[in-house]
Amino acid sequence: MNEQDVDNEVTALLHRADQRYTRGRRRLVVALQSGEGPLTITQLLATDASLSQSSVYRNLTILEEVGAVTRIVTHDDFARYELAEHLTGHHHHLICSSCGDVADFSLDGRTEASLDRAFQRAAKHTGFEIQAHRLDLVGACANCQ
Amino acid sequence: MNEQDVDNEVTALLHRADQRYTRGRRRLVVALQSGEGPLTITQLLATDASLSQSSVYRNLTILEEVGAVTRIVTHDDFARYELAEHLTGHHHHLICSSCGDVADFSLDGRTEASLDRAFQRAAKHTGFEIQAHRLDLVGACANCQ
DNA sequence: CTCAGTGCAAAGGATTTGCATGCCG
DNA sequence: CGGCATGCAAATCCTTTGCACTGAG
């Protein structure tokens, strides 16, 4: 999905929830698109100096509620945010256990499909209703080795 | 691994790091064994009233450092703790998106093996060195449906 | 006896909220 | 114009830390 499509989709999502697509929220979406992976509040504030911390928190919460953004917590104390999967495509995360940075990666379709089948099998008898799966690789990024 | 084996292993891990296996730490290990999955600090304190909050935090940190315990963060604001995988066996988590509760589940060996192969393939060109994988299913637990 | 472990209370730090102001629709 | 979004600063809440005390070896 290109930048324009994302913008249209976010507009629609916000509108559907009776929310405005203000300048601050648009800046946030642009900043999120610029990263190689999920970004922390600090990284977002550094990306665009016109953003104010409390508004960033508030707007990310709203963008998450309308389904435009996903909040991620890894292991360190900073939450990270990225555009929702239906805007970016299904993917997973490479989490560096040293510096905490997170990058995206994908699995091929066949692997994803067989994974999903295995999940259904495994969860069948637990009474658990699967909505999504989350898969991360933890290790050392190129910078930290 | 049964209760006795876990106890011996934790003793060894602590000893190796010049740490004592005190009553408080033993209570913590017992409490962790009693759960169906990772437990929050609050749940641990409720399990055993003789535990003090600050000591629980401190001891969990130490148990994590020596490799006896793993700290998990899901989506809500409470960290969760469980015994390390070499004490409990490799497993994954069912995370309830409604109440936040976490339960354990496992995949069969063939699926795990093919997963690992897919990871190596996917990470090969990223310069990322895989240390572990983390896989969670997010959905609705039996209580929350 | 000594020193690590403990518990209480106070401090930290990411996140949240109250309130006056300004801007979008 | 009216109300929602904004930004500042103060408040929250999980977690960490200082300090005096206790207990294990």
Side-chain angles (χ1 to χ4, degrees):
Chain A
M1 203 176 267
N2 67 38
E3 207 165 304
Q4 187 55 55
D5 289 339
V6 169
D7 202 75
N8 291 338
E9 180 63 17
V10 173
T11 305
L13 287 167
L14 282 168
H15 187 73
R16 207 172 300 158
D18 286 316
Q19 291 284 351
R20 300 177 191 165
Y21 199 5
T22 60
R23 197 186 319 165
R25 294 176 187 176
R26 206 173 291 269
R27 285 201 182 115
L28 219 35
V29 170
V30 170
L32 288 172
Q33 282 178 303
S34 73
E36 301 287 302
L39 299 175
T40 62
I41 303 289
T42 310
Q43 289 172 324
L44 285 167
L45 291 173
T47 298
D48 185 337
S50 68
L51 294 172
S52 121
Q53 178 177 277
S54 62
S55 292
V56 167
Y57 275 109
R58 261 192 285 237
N59 285 329
L60 285 173
T61 303
I62 287 168
L63 287 168
E64 190 185 17
E65 281 169 3
V66 305
V69 155
T70 305
R71 173 192 154 105
I72 291 171
V73 275
T74 55
H75 201 274
D76 52 22
D77 294 328
F78 306 90
R80 283 156 211 273
Y81 294 84
E82 66 181 352
L83 292 177
E85 288 211 326
H86 64 92
L87 301 175
T88 58
H90 181 60
H91 64 273
H92 301 289
H93 294 125
L94 299 169
I95 302 175
C96 179
S97 56
S98 173
C99 69
D101 201 45
V102 182
D104 292 346
F105 83 100
S106 297
L107 291 175
D108 60 278
R110 284 189 55 242
T111 307
E112 286 286 352
S114 77
L115 254 185
D116 280 329
R117 266 177 272 120
F119 294 158
Q120 294 298 344
R121 238 179 293 136
K124 181 171 290 177
H125 301 298
T126 61
F128 190 89
E129 182 188 307
I130 302 174
Q131 291 162 354
H133 70 258
R134 215 153 60 189
L135 174 52
D136 308 318
L137 298 184
V138 182
C141 73
N143 286 332
C144 287
Q145 283 173 25
Chain B
M1 203 177 268
N2 66 39
E3 208 165 305
Q4 186 57 55
D5 290 337
V6 168
D7 201 77
N8 291 339
E9 181 63 18
V10 174
T11 306
L13 287 168
L14 283 168
H15 187 74
R16 208 173 298 158
D18 288 316
Q19 292 283 351
R20 298 179 193 163
Y21 200 4
T22 61
R23 196 184 324 164
R25 292 174 188 178
R26 207 173 291 268
R27 286 202 182 114
L28 220 34
V29 171
V30 170
L32 287 172
Q33 282 178 303
S34 73
E36 301 287 302
L39 298 175
T40 63
I41 303 290
T42 310
Q43 290 173 323
L44 285 167
L45 291 173
T47 298
D48 185 337
S50 69
L51 294 172
S52 120
Q53 177 177 278
S54 63
S55 292
V56 167
Y57 275 109
R58 263 192 285 240
N59 285 329
L60 285 173
T61 302
I62 287 168
L63 287 167
E64 189 185 18
E65 280 169 3
V66 306
V69 156
T70 304
R71 174 191 155 104
I72 291 170
V73 275
T74 55
H75 201 273
D76 53 21
D77 294 329
F78 306 89
R80 285 157 209 272
Y81 293 84
E82 66 181 351
L83 293 176
E85 288 211 326
H86 68 271
L87 301 174
T88 58
H90 181 60
H91 64 273
H92 302 290
H93 294 126
L94 299 169
I95 302 175
C96 180
S97 56
S98 171
C99 69
D101 201 44
V102 181
D104 292 346
F105 84 99
S106 297
L107 291 175
D108 60 279
R110 285 188 56 242
T111 306
E112 285 286 352
S114 77
L115 253 186
D116 280 329
R117 266 178 271 122
F119 294 158
Q120 294 299 343
R121 238 179 293 136
K124 182 172 289 177
H125 302 299
T126 61
F128 190 88
E129 183 189 306
I130 302 174
Q131 290 160 357
H133 70 258
R134 215 155 58 191
L135 175 51
D136 308 318
L137 298 184
V138 182
C141 73
N143 286 332
C144 288
Q145 282 171 26

